[in-house]
Amino acid sequence: MSLKRFGVSLEEDVLNALDGFVKDNGFANRSQAIRFFVEKNVAEKKWQCDHIVAGTVIVMYNQSKKDIALRITEIQQRYQDVILSSSQYYLNEDFCLHIATVTGVAHRLTELSDRLVTIKGIKHGKLVMSRAD
C-alpha cells in the first residue's frame, strides 16, 4: 500500500462544515472524516441498485454513552423489514460490538448502515454485503 501526501484547498465555509462534521461524529481528525466520505461514496456507487443482498452492519462504541445504544435501537426499529437479527457483545468494560444481520435491497441496507455508522460517538462502523439473488 502506498501513501501519498498532498494538500487540499477548501473554501472557509466547506472547511468549517468539515470541522463540524468531525466534531459531531467523533472522528479523530479531518483525514479520518475525509476517508469516511471517500469510502462511503465508493460503496454507494457500487451498491445503489435494486439487487437483493445479505450482509452485516457492525458498529463499535463506548457503552458508557447510553444514548448511543438508544439511537441504535431507534434506527433499527425503522428498518425492521431488513434486519434478520441484532446482537451486542460487550468486549470489555468500555466497548460494545453491535452486529446486525441484514437482507434486502442493496440501497436500503446502505441507507441503514449510513444511519448507524454516523451516530455521534460510534468508534467504527462498516457494512459488508454480498448479492443474494
Side-chain angles (χ1 to χ4, degrees):
M1 177 170 99
S2 66
L3 177 66
K4 295 185 179 185
R5 297 183 188 274
F6 57 92
V8 175
S9 297
L10 298 174
E11 293 83 9
E12 186 174 352
D13 60 330
V14 175
L15 186 58
N16 289 338
L18 177 60
D19 288 341
F21 183 79
V22 168
K23 181 180 176 190
D24 291 347
N25 291 283
F27 288 108
N29 51 49
R30 291 175 181 159
S31 294
Q32 189 180 42
I34 292 169
R35 187 171 33 260
F36 167 81
F37 282 127
V38 171
E39 289 172 353
K40 180 178 181 287
N41 182 270
V42 169
E44 283 179 0
K45 285 186 177 191
K46 182 177 179 181
W47 292 111
Q48 289 301 320
C49 61
D50 292 329
H51 294 300
I52 301 300
V53 296
T56 59
V57 180
I58 62 164
V59 292
M60 186 176 300
Y61 62 94
N62 186 325
Q63 64 180 347
S64 67
K65 299 180 180 180
K66 302 298 181 198
D67 57 319
I68 296 174
L70 179 61
R71 288 285 299 131
I72 290 170
T73 300
E74 289 170 350
I75 291 167
Q76 287 190 152
Q77 286 174 341
R78 293 192 301 260
Y79 290 86
Q80 291 179 22
D81 59 310
V82 296
I83 296 174
L84 299 173
S85 68
S86 178
S87 301
Q88 276 137 162
Y89 300 95
Y90 300 96
L91 305 175
N92 56 39
E93 55 188 53
D94 293 324
F95 288 100
C96 180
L97 177 65
H98 181 90
I99 302 173
T101 306
V102 293
T103 188
V105 177
H107 67 83
R108 178 98 167 125
L109 302 188
T110 301
E111 182 182 291
L112 165 62
S113 175
D114 287 349
R115 291 185 189 273
L116 290 173
V117 303
T118 59
I119 294 172
K120 183 178 180 180
I122 293 292
K123 298 296 181 193
H124 175 76
K126 186 164 187 144
L127 168 64
V128 177
M129 294 188 290
S130 182
R131 278 185 72 166
D133 59 357

